[in-house]
Amino acid sequence: MNSTPGGYELTFADAVVAAPPYPGPWPGLDRGRFLSLDRNESTRPPAAPVRDAIRAYVDGVHAYPVGDDLTRDLAGYCAVPPGCVLPTSGSSQGIQLVLRALLPPGGTLLTATPGFPFYGHTAAVLGAEVHGVPFAEDLTFPYGPFADAAAGTRPDVIVVINPNNPTGSAVDVEFLDALAAEYRHVPVVIDEAYAEYTGVTCIPLIARRPNVIVLRSFSKAFAMAGLRLGYVVAAEPVVTQLAKLRNPTDVNALALVAGRAHLRHLDGMRRHVHETLHVAKPVLTDFLHERGVRHWPGPANFVVVDPGPAPGATDHLRGRGILVRPLVSPPAAGFLRITVGTPQEMGMVRDAYAAFLAGVPAVRR
Ligand SMILES: Cc1ncc(COP(=O)(O)O)c(C=O)c1O
């Protein structure tokens, strides 16, 4: 439908009209009434130095933001020259910039599935195809099939999320290095939204593989999803082209000051990561282990749970005020993804899941 009511006509690109709205569960839900463990965001307020920096800057929001200082700080954090860094309004904007620049209409994006849905959505509105290679049944990265698909489909863009959302699967950097070397005329996008949890990064590859483009986010370990900050790390000529596709003021001033405050106080983020992985996550995974519930702890701030032949876990948890993400695509269809919050919040999930199991007839477990 390329028209609007009332006698006015607007012609949208066919691919935009054909694309479904961006998927999001529970539209219209009053999230304030729930513990949100369905979006891999932090459940904590910002650390004190970050909050202070935001408060101190509030009077400055009348002016357009200037991102040069943050770019420099990020370059230091990533150990690359400033010309290799492009701050973005969330890493979602990085995804859009890269695909708009490098994925032509009718082109093919190769990725492992299920992955972060914004890639497929952006490809669809650009009129491109996604060639998805399913993760293995045990949710490990499908190395062989992915390499075969890269050879067979001649993709325009390769995307690997490391570690992957929603499966939590980690991918060997050596494999990504070899992939980038073999397909040197194809952009190899490595999404590292969860890199602070793993300490694993492909950024050092960029110096010798200028087709590698790394996307990062402040929405996860830095607990800033609401401020929308991400960045691209790539070879300087790549950043030069991507920068043309956005307005230099796209990253808002409060995100810039909060990002800089975080980078000056990295110990705060590191403490948060440590508590998430080593205190809060085991509250849930130890329980699941004891109760024989198949699950994948993964290396990041979420756990994948296979409720087995016991449907209704998502609804049960929601009935107890906890939102978790139901997964719908094979090989994870029917599984849940639970974001790791505080140790107390994980205790609430444990208790709610125990009540769920208590209501599941033994024969169905
Ligand atoms: C793998 C991955 N990439 C990108 C994003 C988007 O992050 P941002 O909030 O920075 O746009 C997410 C968010 O869940 C994600 O899981």
Side-chain angles (χ1 to χ4, degrees):
M1 187 204 70
N2 270 8
S3 64
T4 51
Y8 293 89
E9 294 229 332
L10 299 179
T11 305
F12 292 92
D14 289 343
V16 173
V17 176
Y22 187 62
W26 309 305
L29 186 81
D30 177 5
R31 284 188 165 265
R33 292 179 35 236
F34 292 90
L35 171 58
S36 284
L37 300 179
D38 61 326
R39 301 194 298 193
N40 292 349
E41 64 207 350
S42 171
T43 58
R44 283 171 244 230
V50 176
R51 207 167 44 227
D52 293 348
I54 294 170
R55 285 212 178 104
Y57 192 79
V58 162
D59 287 345
V61 299
H62 58 88
Y64 282 117
V66 179
D68 299 353
D69 290 341
L70 178 72
T71 303
R72 245 189 327 272
D73 292 353
L74 284 170
Y77 177 59
C78 297
V80 296
C84 294
V85 176
L86 185 68
T88 52
S89 176
S91 71
S92 298
Q93 190 189 29
I95 294 170
Q96 284 181 325
L97 297 184
V98 168
L99 298 190
R100 278 169 60 206
L102 292 161
L103 186 61
T108 301
L109 180 157
L110 175 69
T111 195
T113 54
F116 182 53
F118 199 59
Y119 286 97
H121 180 74
T122 306
V125 298
L126 293 171
E129 300 282 325
V130 171
H131 185 94
V133 182
F135 277 85
E137 288 298 321
D138 62 0
L139 301 192
T140 52
F141 187 80
Y143 290 101
F146 199 86
D148 292 347
T153 58
R154 305 183 69 80
D156 297 281
V157 177
I158 296 173
V159 172
V160 177
I161 304 171
N162 189 28
N164 186 55
N165 171 24
T167 57
S169 329
V171 188
D172 285 342
V173 170
E174 294 72 24
F175 173 81
L176 298 172
D177 187 13
L179 196 67
E182 183 151 2
Y183 298 97
R184 54 187 58 212
H185 300 302
V186 179
V188 177
V189 179
I190 319 280
D191 184 326
E192 296 188 351
Y194 300 90
E196 277 75 19
Y197 295 102
T198 61
V200 174
T201 179
C202 282
I203 288 176
L205 297 186
I206 289 167
R208 63 176 196 284
R209 311 259 182 254
N211 55 333
V212 168
I213 302 174
V214 173
L215 303 182
R216 290 279 190 90
S217 175
F218 271 70
S219 297
K220 310 301 176 185
F222 287 108
M224 268 179 46
L227 279 175
R228 313 305 301 130
L229 180 62
Y231 55 103
V232 180
V233 189
E236 218 161 320
V238 175
V239 168
T240 303
Q241 299 308 321
L242 296 179
K244 295 176 187 172
L245 294 172
R246 47 142 233 179
N247 186 318
T249 59
D250 275 354
V251 178
N252 75 79
L254 296 181
L256 293 176
V257 295
R260 292 195 72 206
H262 262 303
L263 296 176
R264 281 196 302 271
H265 299 279
L266 284 171
D267 50 326
M269 178 274 287
R270 288 182 182 130
R271 261 199 313 277
H272 173 67
V273 165
H274 185 270
E275 184 183 76
T276 300
L277 297 182
H278 301 293
V279 184
K281 189 188 273 189
V283 173
L284 179 61
T285 52
D286 289 353
F287 161 76
L288 294 170
H289 182 72
E290 278 161 25
R291 301 299 296 268
V293 179
R294 191 158 83 122
H295 64 282
W296 289 261
N301 65 333
F302 57 91
V303 175
V304 176
V305 178
D306 172 8
T314 306
D315 290 343
H316 175 89
L317 294 172
R318 186 176 158 180
R320 289 178 164 247
I322 300 167
L323 300 179
V324 301
R325 179 63 59 100
L327 305 184
V328 293
S329 303
F335 297 178
L336 321 175
R337 190 196 66 198
I338 305 179
T339 304
V340 179
T342 64
Q344 293 75 11
E345 289 163 347
M346 291 301 97
M348 290 165 58
V349 177
R350 176 196 57 208
D351 295 347
Y353 206 95
F356 167 69
L357 289 177
V360 175
V363 68
R364 283 168 52 210
R365 258 186 238 165

